[in-house]
Amino acid sequence: MTQSRREFLQSSAAIALTVAIARPTLAADESPATPGNAYLRVGADNRVTAVLPTSEMGQGTHTGQAMILGEELGIDPSQIHIEMPLRPAEPYRLFFGQMRSVGSYGIRAWYEPLKKAAAQVRAVLLEAAGERWRVPVSELDATDGQVVHALSGRRVPFGELVEAAAALPLPEDPPMRPAPDTNDVDHTTRRVDVPAKVDGSAVFGTDVDVPGCLHGAVRMSPVYGAEVLSLDADSIEGFPGIEAIVPVPNGVVVVADSWWRAKRAADALSIEFTDTDDATLSSEALSAAMREGLEGDLPPVVRRGDVDAQFQSAVKTVDVIYEVPFLTHICMEPLVCTAHTRENHLELWMPTQGHDIVRMTVERVLGFTNEQMTLHTTYLGGGFGRKTHGEIAEQAILASRAVGAPVKVMWSREDDIQQGYYRPAMMARLRGALDANNRITAMHAQLSGPQMGRTFEHVTVRDNNDFFSVASLIDQPYAEHFAMDHRHLDVPMPLSPWRAVSSSQNGFFMEGFIDEMAAAAGMDPVAFRRAHFEAHPRHLAVLDRVAEMSQWDAPAPDGRHRGVAVVQSYGSAVAQAVTLRMERERPVVEHVAVAIDCGRAIYPDAVEAQMKGSVIEGLAAALRHEVPIADGRAQRSNFHDYSPLRIDEIPDIEVSIVDTGAPLGGVGEPGIPPLAPALTNAIFSATGKRVRVLPVSARRT
Amino acid sequence: MLEFTVNGESVRVEVDPGTPLLWVLRDTLKLNGTKYACGRSLCGACTVHVDGSPVRACVMPIESAANRAVTTIEGLGAEKPHPLQTAWIEANVPQCGYCQSGQIMSAAALLASNPNPSDADIDVAMAGNLCRCGTYDRIRKAIKTAGARIRDDRAAVRDDNRSTVT
């Protein structure tokens, strides 16, 4: 009798070996690991599945996680299917209590739990095979998805063992394979998500195709925070295919039977927004307010040692002000969400990094519990922090509820650039004291600008220490006596984590300032930093590596100038050395040397890709990116005025991975912070002028 | 009613005049491999071939495609993977992947006319395709790998032909 394929799949799915993957713990995490429904499953059909909560947005985490599992289990990573859970839940949450794909945690947080789960599965598979063949487990190995007895040449696929293995108790401390001791970039491990990304079959948020789905385009207030005062529906009378005009916060969603039709009607709609005090806001006014915020005593964040006494006895001091602009993310895939809102259940299809934020949005908008929501995570066409918010879900939920059908709401590029969710603009005053030996004895860092954490409903800013503002300043490696202040500034536009979050600006402030300290000391920028890294072996190791890669100790070639910076963020230390030439007073970057210490590199090819991508992004941002504000509105709109680097604009980028035996660090973000200061320090070397205000192209001082 | 060919198949669509080809491909024909990212011919994510030439589908009115042959990423390697697709996989080119359909379509048009492009040729052909993740050096490498394979294949075909003749 022949079994139909469907029946076979059903019966084989019923027999499976399923092992819970523990909630990840980190050094900073005091809570106990909770076993739960993050799991690794080997089916009788040999299918290996892991349900894990990290969204794939290009950082390669799904492949890295499959490599950890495959290495330990004994199967090629390409044979492991990483799936996302259908709603956030405790086992998937990181130590801050949320399921989110942020903070460069995808590998470093999950390495231990994944390795342990895979080792447990391997242990019981080996034991089951040992019992079957009556041989000791010590003679068995697992490789290529089979248990192998080399002495007799016998092999058995995992799937044939799962029924017996599932009946065995799981060892609490399973034997683990030793980690390979190389960080060499191995280009042979192929990304699991790439085949679908070269033939058009990968499903991004924009590509969700639900039967009966309508399309939504938005029309939102160009002035942040304004609401719809009135609209004239007759103004789009006769536009074909229009189903509804749905009010949402700060605007409307126009629903039609195609996005193009919805968009044309949204653009043509006659609409008036409320007048707000922010309609006169400008970048100049914001800068002036931040500068004013630096006057007098600022609210303290941290005090270490006796800063005042060190300044009083200083031989030299440096006192400078730095500033960075609002930045936007320009994910190639604009914001998009498909929702089907029913009376008692909501289904969402979304390229999201912020699953618990979506859950909180659903609770707020619909009053639904987590269990009343099904959330399908698609591939993300870029995330970079932008896709952690719930605004697009709210729009899609409301639109779907209004028309009683699924609706896919997508923003245009202009909406994406102009509707806020920016990396905050920030100003910093940095003061430093040098002693007679050219040692930094004390530093005082003062921030003036928005504390992003205050704008998030799930975050509390305690003791003026905003988690989203302080990283890469508060942990600076240079001065024992250290003070830090922050005066918050309210701004009307929504703010968002942007790749590397506060380290993106604080790395620039600190490493630009350190270069100024080196100049005040009359010392070479590398030698000056080296002298301060005695107790910081990771900083020293990456600095030495880029000095070597850029041949720092030899004079720069004719017309070339170099700058260096070292920043630790997300658990990894990264140094970068920029080599440039000046053409008509504009910098042309020729070479960037990158050294990263992220502990053992789990997936070196992805580390290299992330470092190169970070340099390219960091360079575009430092050279020319800003969202200026005038009349309360963003003064950028599309790629003609806010463009990533093009293929003919990129420098040669060389990446080296350094392993000092440190714990695993993040990779997606820490390549960003050193680039801006390495660039501006090289510009100083070329011109003698300090760039303290970004972007470079704005030529503000 | 408008008629044109998509990936070798004749299609008829009834859409508003002026609708860009991109939205006919995506919303009418459900060919979602071609992406929207700017809507103004600024980024190349929507690149397809019309009669073999690369065009930006986001600004091409559907009337301009009438009676012409459109190839999308779904049709590029329909019979067997295009050498670019193979090279892309081998070099782990994509990160987020959203721009990559457009990158590959622009590269395919380049290699069709010049299977041995220099770095400068690649810059000219690919400068209109933005990759915000910064995969450019791998794109360059994969284009060269694919170009070399196309040249090898052609040389092999020439050798075969010669041996057939003699």
Side-chain angles (χ1 to χ4, degrees), chain A residues 166-227:
Chain A
L168 297 169
L170 284 180
E172 194 37 49
D173 286 307
M176 306 243 194
R177 298 186 200 260
D181 62 352
T182 174
N183 273 327
D184 290 347
V185 176
D186 165 13
H187 294 289
T188 58
T189 301
R190 301 213 178 137
R191 284 266 299 258
V192 296
D193 53 330
V194 162
K197 289 177 176 177
V198 304
D199 65 8
S201 65
V203 176
F204 295 89
T206 51
D207 308 328
V208 169
D209 188 15
V210 180
C213 191
L214 296 167
H215 297 261
V218 298
R219 177 79 180 274
M220 286 181 283
S221 167
V223 174
Y224 306 103
E227 295 292 348

Coordinates of all heavy atoms in Angstrom, one line a residue, chain A residues 166-227:
Chain A
A166 N 14.3 9.8 21.8 CA 13.4 10.6 22.5 C 13.0 10.0 23.8 O 12.5 10.7 24.7 CB 12.2 10.9 21.6
A167 N 13.1 8.7 23.9 CA 12.7 8.0 25.2 C 13.8 8.1 26.3 O 13.6 7.7 27.4 CB 12.4 6.6 24.9
L168 N 15.0 8.5 25.9 CA 16.2 8.6 26.8 C 16.2 9.9 27.6 O 15.8 10.9 27.1 CB 17.5 8.4 26.0 CG 17.7 7.1 25.3 CD1 18.9 7.2 24.3 CD2 17.8 6.0 26.3
P169 N 16.7 9.8 28.8 CA 16.8 11.1 29.6 C 17.9 12.0 29.0 O 18.9 11.5 28.5 CB 17.2 10.6 31.0 CG 17.8 9.3 30.8 CD 17.2 8.7 29.6
L170 N 17.6 13.3 29.0 CA 18.6 14.3 28.4 C 19.7 14.5 29.5 O 19.4 14.8 30.6 CB 17.9 15.6 28.1 CG 17.1 15.7 26.9 CD1 16.5 17.1 26.8 CD2 17.8 15.3 25.6
P171 N 20.9 14.4 29.1 CA 22.0 14.7 30.0 C 22.0 16.2 30.3 O 21.9 17.0 29.4 CB 23.3 14.3 29.3 CG 22.9 14.3 27.8 CD 21.4 14.1 27.7
E172 N 22.2 16.6 31.6 CA 22.3 18.0 31.9 C 23.6 18.6 31.5 O 23.6 19.8 31.1 CB 22.1 18.1 33.5 CG 21.8 19.5 33.9 CD 20.9 20.4 33.0 OE1 19.8 19.9 32.5 OE2 21.2 21.5 32.7
D173 N 24.7 17.8 31.6 CA 26.0 18.3 31.1 C 26.5 17.5 30.0 O 27.4 16.7 30.2 CB 27.0 18.3 32.3 CG 26.7 19.4 33.3 OD1 26.6 20.6 32.8 OD2 26.5 19.1 34.5
P174 N 26.0 17.6 28.8 CA 26.4 16.8 27.7 C 27.8 17.1 27.3 O 28.3 18.2 27.4 CB 25.4 17.1 26.6 CG 25.0 18.5 26.9 CD 25.0 18.7 28.4
P175 N 28.6 16.1 26.8 CA 29.9 16.4 26.3 C 29.8 17.3 25.1 O 28.9 17.2 24.3 CB 30.5 15.0 25.9 CG 29.3 14.1 25.9 CD 28.2 14.7 26.7
M176 N 30.7 18.3 25.0 CA 30.7 19.3 23.9 C 31.9 19.1 23.1 O 33.0 18.8 23.6 CB 30.6 20.7 24.5 CG 29.5 20.9 25.5 SD 28.4 22.2 24.8 CE 27.5 22.5 26.3
R177 N 31.7 19.4 21.8 CA 32.9 19.4 20.9 C 33.7 20.6 21.2 O 33.2 21.7 21.5 CB 32.5 19.4 19.5 CG 31.6 18.3 19.0 CD 31.4 18.4 17.5 NE 30.3 17.6 17.0 CZ 30.4 16.4 16.4 NH1 31.6 15.9 16.2 NH2 29.4 15.8 15.9
P178 N 35.1 20.5 21.1 CA 35.9 21.8 21.3 C 35.6 22.7 20.1 O 35.4 22.3 19.0 CB 37.3 21.2 21.2 CG 37.2 19.9 20.5 CD 35.9 19.4 20.7
A179 N 35.7 24.0 20.4 CA 35.5 25.0 19.3 C 36.7 25.0 18.4 O 37.9 24.9 18.9 CB 35.3 26.4 20.0
P180 N 36.6 25.2 17.1 CA 37.7 25.4 16.3 C 38.5 26.6 16.7 O 38.0 27.6 17.1 CB 37.1 25.5 14.9 CG 35.7 25.7 15.0 CD 35.3 25.4 16.4
D181 N 39.8 26.5 16.5 CA 40.7 27.6 17.0 C 41.2 28.5 15.9 O 42.3 29.0 16.0 CB 41.9 27.0 17.8 CG 42.8 26.2 16.9 OD1 42.3 26.0 15.8 OD2 43.8 25.8 17.4
T182 N 40.3 28.8 15.0 CA 40.7 29.7 13.9 C 39.7 30.7 13.7 O 38.5 30.5 13.8 CB 41.0 28.9 12.6 OG1 41.3 29.9 11.6 CG2 39.8 28.1 12.2
N183 N 40.1 31.9 13.4 CA 39.3 33.0 13.0 C 39.5 33.4 11.5 O 39.0 34.4 11.0 CB 39.5 34.3 13.8 CG 38.7 34.2 15.1 OD1 37.6 33.7 15.1 ND2 39.3 34.8 16.1
D184 N 40.1 32.5 10.8 CA 40.4 32.7 9.3 C 39.0 32.8 8.6 O 38.1 32.1 8.9 CB 41.2 31.6 8.7 CG 42.6 31.7 9.2 OD1 43.0 32.7 9.8 OD2 43.3 30.7 9.0
V185 N 39.0 33.8 7.7 CA 37.7 33.9 7.0 C 37.6 32.8 6.0 O 38.4 32.6 5.1 CB 37.7 35.3 6.2 CG1 36.4 35.4 5.4 CG2 37.7 36.4 7.2
D186 N 36.6 32.0 6.2 CA 36.3 30.8 5.4 C 35.1 31.2 4.5 O 34.0 31.3 5.0 CB 36.0 29.6 6.3 CG 35.4 28.5 5.6 OD1 35.4 28.5 4.3 OD2 34.8 27.6 6.2
H187 N 35.4 31.3 3.2 CA 34.3 31.8 2.3 C 33.4 30.6 1.8 O 32.6 30.8 1.0 CB 34.9 32.5 1.1 CG 35.6 33.8 1.5 ND1 34.8 34.9 1.9 CD2 36.9 34.2 1.6 CE1 35.7 35.9 2.2 NE2 36.9 35.5 2.0
T188 N 33.7 29.4 2.4 CA 32.9 28.3 1.8 C 31.6 28.0 2.5 O 30.8 27.3 2.0 CB 33.8 27.0 1.9 OG1 34.1 26.8 3.3 CG2 35.0 27.1 1.1
T189 N 31.4 28.5 3.7 CA 30.1 28.3 4.4 C 29.1 29.3 3.7 O 29.2 30.5 3.9 CB 30.2 28.5 5.9 OG1 31.1 27.6 6.4 CG2 28.8 28.3 6.5
R190 N 28.1 28.7 3.1 CA 27.2 29.5 2.3 C 26.0 30.0 3.2 O 25.5 29.2 4.0 CB 26.6 28.7 1.1 CG 27.8 28.3 0.2 CD 27.4 28.3 -1.2 NE 28.6 28.0 -2.0 CZ 28.6 27.1 -3.0 NH1 27.5 26.6 -3.3 NH2 29.7 26.9 -3.7
R191 N 25.6 31.2 3.0 CA 24.5 31.7 3.7 C 23.2 31.0 3.4 O 22.9 30.8 2.2 CB 24.3 33.2 3.4 CG 25.3 34.1 4.0 CD 24.8 34.7 5.3 NE 23.6 35.5 5.0 CZ 23.6 36.8 4.9 NH1 24.7 37.5 5.1 NH2 22.4 37.5 4.7
V192 N 22.4 30.6 4.4 CA 21.2 29.8 4.2 C 20.1 30.6 3.5 O 19.3 30.1 2.9 CB 20.7 29.2 5.5 CG1 21.7 28.2 6.1 CG2 20.3 30.3 6.5
D193 N 20.2 31.9 3.6 CA 19.1 32.8 3.0 C 19.4 33.3 1.6 O 18.6 33.9 1.0 CB 18.8 34.0 4.0 CG 20.1 34.8 4.3 OD1 21.2 34.2 4.3 OD2 20.0 36.0 4.5
V194 N 20.6 33.0 1.1 CA 21.1 33.6 -0.1 C 20.4 33.0 -1.4 O 20.0 33.8 -2.2 CB 22.6 33.6 -0.2 CG1 23.0 33.8 -1.7 CG2 23.2 34.7 0.6
P195 N 20.2 31.7 -1.5 CA 19.6 31.2 -2.7 C 18.3 31.9 -3.0 O 18.0 32.2 -4.2 CB 19.4 29.7 -2.4 CG 20.6 29.4 -1.5 CD 20.7 30.6 -0.6
A196 N 17.4 32.1 -2.0 CA 16.1 32.7 -2.3 C 16.3 34.2 -2.6 O 15.4 34.8 -3.1 CB 15.2 32.6 -1.1
K197 N 17.5 34.8 -2.3 CA 17.7 36.2 -2.5 C 18.3 36.5 -3.9 O 18.5 37.7 -4.2 CB 18.5 36.8 -1.4 CG 17.8 36.9 0.0 CD 18.6 37.5 1.1 CE 17.8 37.6 2.4 NZ 18.6 38.1 3.5
V198 N 18.6 35.5 -4.7 CA 19.1 35.7 -6.0 C 18.2 35.3 -7.1 O 18.4 35.5 -8.3 CB 20.5 35.0 -6.2 CG1 21.5 35.4 -5.2 CG2 20.3 33.5 -6.3
D199 N 17.0 34.7 -6.7 CA 16.1 34.3 -7.8 C 14.7 35.0 -7.6 O 13.7 34.6 -8.3 CB 15.9 32.8 -7.9 CG 15.3 32.2 -6.7 OD1 14.9 32.9 -5.8 OD2 15.3 30.9 -6.6
G200 N 14.6 35.9 -6.7 CA 13.4 36.7 -6.5 C 12.4 36.0 -5.6 O 11.3 36.5 -5.4
S201 N 12.7 34.8 -5.1 CA 11.7 34.0 -4.3 C 11.6 34.4 -2.8 O 10.7 34.0 -2.1 CB 11.9 32.5 -4.5 OG 13.1 32.1 -3.9
A202 N 12.7 35.1 -2.3 CA 12.7 35.5 -0.9 C 11.4 36.4 -0.6 O 11.2 37.3 -1.4 CB 13.9 36.2 -0.5
V203 N 10.7 36.1 0.5 CA 9.6 36.9 0.8 C 10.0 37.9 1.9 O 10.2 37.6 3.1 CB 8.4 36.0 1.3 CG1 7.2 36.9 1.8 CG2 8.0 35.1 0.2
F204 N 10.0 39.2 1.4 CA 10.2 40.3 2.3 C 8.8 40.8 2.8 O 7.8 40.3 2.2 CB 11.0 41.4 1.6 CG 12.4 41.1 1.3 CD1 12.7 40.5 0.1 CD2 13.4 41.3 2.2 CE1 14.0 40.1 -0.3 CE2 14.7 41.0 1.8 CZ 15.0 40.4 0.6
G205 N 8.8 41.8 3.7 CA 7.5 42.3 4.1 C 6.7 42.9 2.9 O 5.5 42.7 2.9
T206 N 7.4 43.4 2.0 CA 6.6 44.0 0.8 C 6.0 42.9 -0.1 O 5.2 43.2 -0.9 CB 7.6 44.8 -0.1 OG1 8.8 44.0 -0.4 CG2 8.1 46.1 0.6
D207 N 6.5 41.7 0.1 CA 6.1 40.6 -0.9 C 5.0 39.7 -0.3 O 4.6 38.7 -1.0 CB 7.3 39.8 -1.2 CG 8.5 40.7 -1.7 OD1 8.2 41.7 -2.3 OD2 9.6 40.3 -1.5
V208 N 4.5 40.0 0.9 CA 3.4 39.2 1.5 C 2.2 39.2 0.6 O 1.8 40.3 0.1 CB 3.1 39.7 2.9 CG1 1.9 39.0 3.4 CG2 4.3 39.5 3.8
D209 N 1.7 38.1 0.3 CA 0.6 38.0 -0.7 C -0.5 37.1 0.0 O -0.5 35.9 -0.1 CB 1.0 37.4 -2.0 CG 0.0 37.5 -3.1 OD1 -1.0 38.2 -2.9 OD2 0.1 36.8 -4.1
V210 N -1.5 37.8 0.7 CA -2.6 37.1 1.3 C -3.8 37.2 0.4 O -4.1 38.3 -0.1 CB -2.8 37.8 2.7 CG1 -4.0 37.1 3.4 CG2 -1.6 37.8 3.6
P211 N -4.5 36.1 0.3 CA -5.7 36.2 -0.6 C -6.7 37.3 -0.1 O -6.9 37.5 1.1 CB -6.4 34.8 -0.4 CG -5.3 33.9 0.1 CD -4.3 34.8 0.8
G212 N -7.1 38.1 -1.1 CA -8.1 39.2 -0.8 C -7.5 40.4 -0.2 O -8.2 41.3 0.3
C213 N -6.1 40.5 -0.3 CA -5.4 41.6 0.4 C -5.6 42.9 -0.4 O -5.4 42.9 -1.6 CB -4.0 41.2 0.6 SG -3.1 42.4 1.7
L214 N -5.9 44.0 0.4 CA -5.9 45.3 -0.2 C -4.6 46.0 0.1 O -3.8 45.5 0.9 CB -7.1 46.1 0.3 CG -8.5 45.5 -0.1 CD1 -9.6 46.1 0.7 CD2 -8.8 45.7 -1.6
H215 N -4.4 47.2 -0.5 CA -3.2 47.9 -0.3 C -3.4 49.3 0.3 O -4.4 49.9 0.0 CB -2.5 48.1 -1.7 CG -2.1 46.8 -2.3 ND1 -0.9 46.3 -2.2 CD2 -2.9 45.9 -3.0 CE1 -0.8 45.1 -2.9 NE2 -2.0 44.8 -3.3
G216 N -2.5 49.7 1.2 CA -2.7 51.0 1.8 C -1.4 51.8 1.6 O -0.3 51.4 1.7
A217 N -1.7 53.1 1.2 CA -0.6 54.1 1.2 C -1.0 55.2 2.2 O -2.2 55.4 2.5 CB -0.5 54.7 -0.2
V218 N 0.0 55.9 2.7 CA -0.3 56.8 3.8 C -0.1 58.3 3.4 O 0.5 58.6 2.4 CB 0.7 56.6 5.0 CG1 0.5 55.2 5.6 CG2 2.1 56.8 4.7
R219 N -0.8 59.1 4.1 CA -0.6 60.6 4.0 C -0.5 61.1 5.4 O -1.5 61.1 6.1 CB -1.8 61.2 3.2 CG -1.8 62.7 3.1 CD -0.8 63.1 2.0 NE -0.8 64.6 1.9 CZ -1.7 65.3 1.2 NH1 -2.6 64.7 0.5 NH2 -1.6 66.6 1.2
M220 N 0.6 61.5 5.8 CA 0.9 61.9 7.1 C 1.3 63.4 7.2 O 1.9 63.9 6.3 CB 1.9 61.0 7.8 CG 1.3 59.6 8.1 SD 2.5 58.5 9.0 CE 3.5 58.0 7.6
S221 N 1.1 63.9 8.4 CA 1.5 65.3 8.6 C 3.0 65.5 8.3 O 3.8 64.8 8.9 CB 1.1 65.8 10.0 OG 1.8 67.0 10.2
P222 N 3.3 66.5 7.5 CA 4.8 66.8 7.3 C 5.4 67.4 8.6 O 6.6 67.3 8.7 CB 4.8 67.7 6.2 CG 3.5 68.4 6.1 CD 2.5 67.4 6.7
V223 N 4.6 68.0 9.4 CA 5.1 68.6 10.7 C 4.9 67.5 11.8 O 3.7 67.0 11.9 CB 4.4 69.9 11.0 CG1 4.8 70.4 12.4 CG2 4.7 70.9 10.0
Y224 N 5.9 67.2 12.5 CA 5.8 66.1 13.5 C 4.8 66.4 14.5 O 4.7 67.5 15.1 CB 7.2 65.9 14.1 CG 8.3 65.6 13.1 CD1 9.2 66.6 12.8 CD2 8.3 64.4 12.4 CE1 10.1 66.4 11.8 CE2 9.3 64.2 11.4 CZ 10.2 65.2 11.1 OH 11.1 65.0 10.2
G225 N 4.0 65.4 14.8 CA 3.0 65.5 15.9 C 1.7 66.2 15.5 O 0.8 66.1 16.3
A226 N 1.6 66.7 14.3 CA 0.3 67.4 14.0 C -0.7 66.3 13.6 O -0.4 65.2 13.2 CB 0.5 68.3 12.8
E227 N -2.0 66.6 13.8 CA -3.1 65.7 13.5 C -4.0 66.2 12.4 O -3.9 67.4 12.0 CB -4.0 65.5 14.8 CG -3.3 64.8 15.9 CD -2.9 63.4 15.7 OE1 -3.4 62.8 14.7 OE2 -2.1 62.8 16.5

